[in-house]
Amino acid sequence: MPVIIRNIFEEYCTETFDVQQTIAVNNGTSALIAPLWSMDLKPDDEVITTPFTFIGTSNAILIAGAKPVFVDINEDDFLIDPTKIEEAITDKTRAILPVHLFGQVCDMDSIMQIARLNNLVVIEDTAQSFSAEYTSYEGWTKMAGTIGDVGCFSFHKTKPMSTFEGGMITVNQNSRLDGDKIRSITNQGQVGKYNHEYLGFNFRLAEPGKIGTKDYKAAVKKVVKGSKIKGHRGCEIFDVGEDIQKD
Protein backbone atom coordinates (compact mmCIF):
# COMPACT_ATOMS: atom_id res chain seq x y z
CA MET A 1 0.00 0.00 0.00
CA PRO A 2 1.40 3.44 -0.88
CA VAL A 3 2.68 5.19 2.23
CA ILE A 4 0.33 8.16 1.94
CA ILE A 5 -2.72 5.88 1.69
CA ARG A 6 -1.54 3.74 4.59
CA ASN A 7 -0.96 6.81 6.75
CA ILE A 8 -4.41 8.25 6.05
CA PHE A 9 -6.03 4.86 6.68
CA GLU A 10 -4.18 4.43 9.97
CA GLU A 11 -5.12 7.94 11.10
CA TYR A 12 -8.76 7.28 10.25
CA CYS A 13 -8.79 3.99 12.20
CA THR A 14 -6.99 5.60 15.16
CA GLU A 15 -9.76 8.18 15.39
CA THR A 16 -12.57 5.68 14.76
CA PHE A 17 -11.35 3.22 17.40
CA ASP A 18 -10.20 5.95 19.82
CA VAL A 19 -6.76 4.41 20.35
CA GLN A 20 -3.20 5.69 20.71
CA GLN A 21 -2.23 4.53 17.21
CA THR A 22 -2.98 1.89 14.59
CA ILE A 23 -0.47 0.03 12.45
CA ALA A 24 -1.54 -1.56 9.15
CA VAL A 25 0.18 -4.90 8.49
CA ASN A 26 0.13 -7.66 5.90
CA ASN A 27 -1.97 -10.21 7.82
CA GLY A 28 -3.43 -11.13 11.20
CA THR A 29 -0.55 -13.41 12.19
CA SER A 30 1.95 -10.57 11.68
CA ALA A 31 -0.33 -8.39 13.80
CA LEU A 32 0.15 -10.89 16.64
CA ILE A 33 3.88 -11.46 16.15
CA ALA A 34 4.95 -7.80 16.24
CA PRO A 35 3.63 -6.86 19.73
CA LEU A 36 4.80 -10.19 21.16
CA TRP A 37 8.24 -9.61 19.63
CA SER A 38 8.33 -6.14 21.18
CA MET A 39 8.18 -7.73 24.64
CA ASP A 40 11.62 -9.35 24.24
CA LEU A 41 10.28 -12.69 25.43
CA LYS A 42 12.64 -15.43 26.58
CA PRO A 43 12.33 -19.21 25.99
CA ASP A 44 11.00 -19.82 29.51
CA ASP A 45 8.38 -17.06 29.29
CA GLU A 46 4.74 -18.08 29.00
CA VAL A 47 1.72 -16.57 27.27
CA ILE A 48 -1.72 -17.82 28.29
CA THR A 49 -4.18 -18.35 25.45
CA THR A 50 -6.88 -20.70 24.18
CA PRO A 51 -6.32 -23.88 22.11
CA PHE A 52 -9.63 -23.21 20.32
CA THR A 53 -8.25 -20.83 17.71
CA PHE A 54 -6.46 -20.68 14.37
CA ILE A 55 -2.87 -21.97 14.51
CA GLY A 56 -1.55 -18.45 13.87
CA THR A 57 -2.22 -17.52 17.50
CA SER A 58 0.10 -20.21 18.86
CA ASN A 59 2.61 -19.79 16.04
CA ALA A 60 2.97 -16.09 16.87
CA ILE A 61 3.81 -16.90 20.50
CA LEU A 62 6.37 -19.52 19.45
CA ILE A 63 7.94 -17.26 16.81
CA ALA A 64 8.26 -14.52 19.43
CA GLY A 65 10.28 -16.95 21.55
CA ALA A 66 7.80 -17.85 24.30
CA LYS A 67 5.69 -20.86 25.24
CA PRO A 68 1.91 -20.96 24.76
CA VAL A 69 0.00 -22.15 27.83
CA PHE A 70 -3.50 -23.32 27.00
CA VAL A 71 -6.57 -22.62 29.11
CA ASP A 72 -9.88 -24.33 28.37
CA ILE A 73 -12.96 -22.62 26.91
CA ASN A 74 -16.53 -22.06 28.05
CA GLU A 75 -18.99 -24.61 26.71
CA ASP A 76 -21.63 -21.99 25.88
CA ASP A 77 -19.62 -19.57 23.71
CA PHE A 78 -16.30 -21.38 23.02
CA LEU A 79 -14.33 -18.39 24.37
CA ILE A 80 -11.49 -18.67 26.89
CA ASP A 81 -12.76 -19.37 30.41
CA PRO A 82 -11.42 -16.58 32.66
CA THR A 83 -12.07 -18.63 35.81
CA LYS A 84 -9.30 -20.99 34.68
CA ILE A 85 -6.75 -18.35 33.74
CA GLU A 86 -5.53 -17.53 37.23
CA GLU A 87 -4.64 -21.11 38.08
CA ALA A 88 -2.48 -21.25 34.94
CA ILE A 89 -0.39 -18.21 35.95
CA THR A 90 3.18 -18.84 37.10
CA ASP A 91 6.16 -16.61 37.78
CA LYS A 92 7.05 -17.08 34.09
CA THR A 93 3.73 -15.77 32.72
CA ARG A 94 4.16 -12.54 30.76
CA ALA A 95 0.87 -12.05 28.93
CA ILE A 96 -2.71 -13.19 28.35
CA LEU A 97 -3.85 -13.56 24.75
CA PRO A 98 -7.66 -13.92 24.61
CA VAL A 99 -9.23 -14.77 21.26
CA HIS A 100 -12.57 -13.22 20.30
CA LEU A 101 -14.45 -15.69 18.09
CA PHE A 102 -17.53 -15.71 15.85
CA GLY A 103 -18.20 -12.01 16.44
CA GLN A 104 -18.23 -12.55 20.20
CA VAL A 105 -16.02 -10.82 22.76
CA CYS A 106 -14.32 -12.57 25.68
CA ASP A 107 -15.12 -11.63 29.28
CA MET A 108 -12.70 -8.70 29.26
CA ASP A 109 -13.72 -7.41 32.70
CA SER A 110 -12.43 -10.58 34.34
CA ILE A 111 -9.39 -10.86 32.06
CA MET A 112 -8.30 -7.26 32.64
CA GLN A 113 -8.73 -7.63 36.39
CA ILE A 114 -6.55 -10.76 36.42
CA ALA A 115 -3.96 -9.00 34.27
CA ARG A 116 -3.81 -5.97 36.58
CA LEU A 117 -3.47 -8.10 39.70
CA ASN A 118 -0.64 -10.09 38.14
CA ASN A 119 1.06 -7.33 36.13
CA LEU A 120 0.44 -9.03 32.79
CA VAL A 121 0.11 -7.64 29.28
CA VAL A 122 -3.17 -8.32 27.43
CA ILE A 123 -3.01 -8.85 23.67
CA GLU A 124 -6.43 -9.27 22.05
CA ASP A 125 -6.74 -11.53 19.01
CA THR A 126 -9.64 -9.79 17.29
CA ALA A 127 -9.38 -11.44 13.87
CA GLN A 128 -13.02 -12.59 13.87
CA SER A 129 -14.64 -9.72 15.77
CA PHE A 130 -13.80 -6.50 13.95
CA SER A 131 -16.14 -3.73 15.24
CA ALA A 132 -17.77 -5.97 17.87
CA GLU A 133 -18.74 -3.96 20.95
CA TYR A 134 -18.18 -4.99 24.56
CA THR A 135 -20.17 -3.47 27.43
CA SER A 136 -18.45 -3.88 30.79
CA TYR A 137 -20.03 -4.56 34.15
CA GLU A 138 -19.29 -0.89 34.93
CA GLY A 139 -21.38 0.27 31.98
CA TRP A 140 -18.76 1.55 29.52
CA THR A 141 -18.71 0.24 25.96
CA LYS A 142 -15.63 -0.25 23.80
CA MET A 143 -14.84 -2.05 20.57
CA ALA A 144 -13.14 -5.42 20.72
CA GLY A 145 -9.41 -4.98 20.36
CA THR A 146 -9.35 -1.64 22.19
CA ILE A 147 -9.61 -2.91 25.77
CA GLY A 148 -6.28 -4.64 26.41
CA ASP A 149 -2.81 -3.27 25.70
CA VAL A 150 -3.03 -4.00 21.97
CA GLY A 151 -5.58 -5.43 19.56
CA CYS A 152 -4.67 -7.62 16.59
CA PHE A 153 -6.94 -7.74 13.53
CA SER A 154 -7.11 -9.74 10.32
CA PHE A 155 -8.40 -8.35 7.02
CA HIS A 156 -8.44 -11.73 5.30
CA LYS A 157 -11.23 -12.21 2.77
CA THR A 158 -13.17 -14.39 5.25
CA LYS A 159 -13.24 -11.67 7.92
CA PRO A 160 -15.82 -8.91 8.55
CA MET A 161 -13.42 -6.25 7.22
CA SER A 162 -11.47 -7.43 4.18
CA THR A 163 -8.58 -6.24 2.04
CA PHE A 164 -8.33 -9.89 0.81
CA GLU A 165 -5.05 -10.12 2.76
CA GLY A 166 -4.03 -7.71 5.50
CA GLY A 167 -4.29 -6.86 9.15
CA MET A 168 -3.99 -4.14 11.75
CA ILE A 169 -2.61 -3.54 15.23
CA THR A 170 -4.27 -1.10 17.62
CA VAL A 171 -2.02 0.28 20.34
CA ASN A 172 -4.57 1.24 22.94
CA GLN A 173 -4.83 4.10 25.40
CA ASN A 174 -2.56 3.54 28.44
CA SER A 175 -0.94 0.54 26.76
CA ARG A 176 2.04 -0.93 28.54
CA LEU A 177 3.62 -1.82 25.21
CA ASP A 178 5.73 0.57 23.13
CA GLY A 179 3.72 1.42 20.02
CA ASP A 180 6.69 3.00 18.24
CA LYS A 181 8.76 -0.14 18.83
CA ILE A 182 5.94 -2.32 17.48
CA ARG A 183 5.71 -0.11 14.38
CA SER A 184 9.47 -0.34 13.92
CA ILE A 185 9.36 -4.15 14.12
CA THR A 186 6.78 -4.22 11.29
CA ASN A 187 9.24 -2.26 9.12
CA GLN A 188 12.47 -4.30 9.45
CA GLY A 189 13.19 -2.81 12.88
CA GLN A 190 13.86 0.63 11.42
CA VAL A 191 13.92 3.77 13.54
CA GLY A 192 14.60 6.36 10.90
CA LYS A 193 15.80 5.57 7.39
CA TYR A 194 18.12 2.55 7.37
CA ASN A 195 18.72 2.82 11.12
CA HIS A 196 17.77 -0.66 12.34
CA GLU A 197 17.51 -0.81 16.13
CA TYR A 198 15.37 -3.94 16.55
CA LEU A 199 14.97 -7.37 15.05
CA GLY A 200 12.11 -6.90 12.65
CA PHE A 201 10.49 -8.03 9.43
CA ASN A 202 8.56 -6.65 6.49
CA PHE A 203 5.04 -6.81 7.91
CA ARG A 204 3.83 -3.76 5.96
CA LEU A 205 0.42 -3.95 4.32
CA ALA A 206 0.85 -4.02 0.55
CA GLU A 207 -2.29 -3.84 -1.57
CA PRO A 208 -2.96 -2.88 -5.22
CA GLY A 209 -2.75 0.86 -5.75
CA LYS A 210 -6.26 0.96 -7.21
CA ILE A 211 -7.65 0.33 -3.72
CA GLY A 212 -7.66 3.94 -2.57
CA THR A 213 -8.07 5.69 0.74
CA LYS A 214 -11.72 6.40 0.06
CA ASP A 215 -12.45 2.69 -0.41
CA TYR A 216 -10.71 1.75 2.85
CA LYS A 217 -12.55 4.43 4.80
CA ALA A 218 -15.86 3.38 3.29
CA ALA A 219 -15.22 -0.26 4.19
CA VAL A 220 -14.38 0.55 7.81
CA LYS A 221 -17.38 2.86 8.11
CA LYS A 222 -19.79 0.29 6.68
CA VAL A 223 -18.59 -2.54 8.89
CA VAL A 224 -18.63 -0.43 12.05
CA LYS A 225 -21.99 1.13 11.22
CA GLY A 226 -23.57 -2.14 10.14
CA SER A 227 -22.34 -4.19 13.08
CA LYS A 228 -25.03 -5.12 15.59
CA ILE A 229 -22.69 -6.86 18.02
CA LYS A 230 -23.44 -5.28 21.36
CA GLY A 231 -23.65 -6.12 25.03
CA HIS A 232 -21.54 -8.19 27.38
CA ARG A 233 -19.49 -10.64 25.32
CA GLY A 234 -21.19 -9.36 22.15
CA CYS A 235 -24.19 -11.58 22.53
CA GLU A 236 -26.21 -10.23 19.58
CA ILE A 237 -26.01 -11.55 16.02
CA PHE A 238 -23.47 -9.96 13.68
CA ASP A 239 -24.98 -8.24 10.67
CA VAL A 240 -22.74 -6.23 8.35
CA GLY A 241 -25.82 -4.71 6.74
CA GLU A 242 -24.19 -3.85 3.42
CA ASP A 243 -21.69 -5.78 1.35
CA ILE A 244 -18.41 -3.93 1.94
CA GLN A 245 -17.31 -4.72 -1.61
CA LYS A 246 -20.19 -2.68 -3.03
CA ASP A 247 -19.70 1.07 -3.15
Side-chain angles (χ1 to χ4, degrees), residues 93-164:
T93 306
R94 295 286 307 281
I96 304 172
L97 205 166
V99 181
H100 309 311
L101 290 173
F102 314 126
Q104 302 176 105
V105 186
C106 298
D107 182 355
M108 292 305 293
D109 281 282
S110 299
I111 291 170
M112 293 304 296
Q113 182 179 18
I114 293 169
R116 282 191 293 269
L117 290 173
N118 293 276
N119 194 30
L120 301 175
V121 169
V122 176
I123 298 172
E124 297 177 68
D125 184 335
T126 321
Q128 291 194 10
S129 295
F130 183 92
S131 85
E133 290 183 339
Y134 176 86
T135 299
S136 78
Y137 302 128
E138 297 175 353
W140 52 258
T141 298
K142 291 185 179 181
M143 287 187 183
T146 70
I147 303 166
D149 292 284
V150 297
C152 305
F153 298 80
S154 170
F155 296 156
H156 186 261
K157 60 187 176 182
T158 62
K159 303 302 189 295
M161 162 71 183
S162 172
T163 57
F164 291 93

Side-chain angles (χ1 to χ4, degrees), residues 17-142:
F17 283 83
D18 188 27
V19 294
Q20 187 184 131
Q21 63 174 300
T22 59
I23 304 165
V25 293
N26 56 351
N27 58 60
T29 304
S30 297
L32 288 165
I33 293 171
L36 286 163
W37 234 342
S38 78
M39 296 177 64
D40 299 319
L41 297 166
K42 297 176 176 58
D44 287 339
D45 288 337
E46 299 173 346
V47 177
I48 293 174
T49 191
T50 167
F52 194 72
T53 179
F54 179 62
I55 191 64
T57 307
S58 299
N59 280 347
I61 296 170
L62 292 167
I63 289 169
K67 172 186 174 183
V69 174
F70 296 123
V71 167
D72 208 350
I73 57 175
N74 295 303
E75 292 184 2
D76 57 340
D77 56 16
F78 306 109
L79 301 176
I80 191 168
D81 185 347
T83 65
K84 297 177 180 176
I85 291 176
E86 203 150 17
E87 62 191 48
I89 294 173
T90 70
D91 57 358
K92 298 176 183 178
T93 306
R94 295 286 307 281
I96 304 172
L97 205 166
V99 181
H100 309 311
L101 290 173
F102 314 126
Q104 302 176 105
V105 186
C106 298
D107 182 355
M108 292 305 293
D109 281 282
S110 299
I111 291 170
M112 293 304 296
Q113 182 179 18
I114 293 169
R116 282 191 293 269
L117 290 173
N118 293 276
N119 194 30
L120 301 175
V121 169
V122 176
I123 298 172
E124 297 177 68
D125 184 335
T126 321
Q128 291 194 10
S129 295
F130 183 92
S131 85
E133 290 183 339
Y134 176 86
T135 299
S136 78
Y137 302 128
E138 297 175 353
W140 52 258
T141 298
K142 291 185 179 181

Side-chain angles (χ1 to χ4, degrees), residues 183-212:
R183 182 179 294 278
S184 173
I185 287 169
T186 68
N187 190 26
Q188 300 287 11
Q190 289 190 89
V191 179
K193 191 70 170 177
Y194 299 132
N195 178 35
H196 302 268
E197 293 191 11
Y198 307 109
L199 177 65
F201 207 79
N202 178 4
F203 290 153
R204 298 187 304 272
L205 175 60
E207 289 297 325
K210 67 180 181 178
I211 302 179

